[in-house]
Amino acid sequence: MVLGDQVVFARLDVAEALGIWRHATGRIVDIVPATDGSQVVDVQFDGHRLLVGYIAALFQRVG
């Protein structure tokens, strides 16, 4: 994957849990090396701000 590539979610179970439609497409906007030698990919897509709200709603503070 390189910057600007168009991508779709490979894990539909994760996409559904996050409230993302099955065929949402995005673009790779950043690629950062991880400490284990792999890469961390940052994807931007339509509805990205909405996703941030969904992610926050998936978790509750404990304690």
Side-chain angles (χ1 to χ4, degrees):
M1 290 189 217
V2 297
L3 291 178
D5 275 358
Q6 186 175 34
V7 295
V8 296
F9 280 89
R11 295 268 321 260
L12 295 180
D13 57 330
V14 174
E16 288 178 2
L18 295 174
I20 301 166
W21 52 102
R22 288 181 167 265
H23 301 291
T25 59
R27 295 262 176 218
I28 296 177
V29 295
D30 197 13
I31 300 174
V32 181
T35 57
D36 65 358
S38 64
Q39 294 179 326
V40 175
V41 178
D42 187 11
V43 176
Q44 186 80 32
F45 60 93
D46 291 337
H48 187 262
R49 289 179 191 245
L50 184 62
L51 171 62
V52 171
Y54 283 142
I55 291 173
L58 287 175
F59 300 94
Q60 282 184 345
R61 186 176 206 177
V62 178

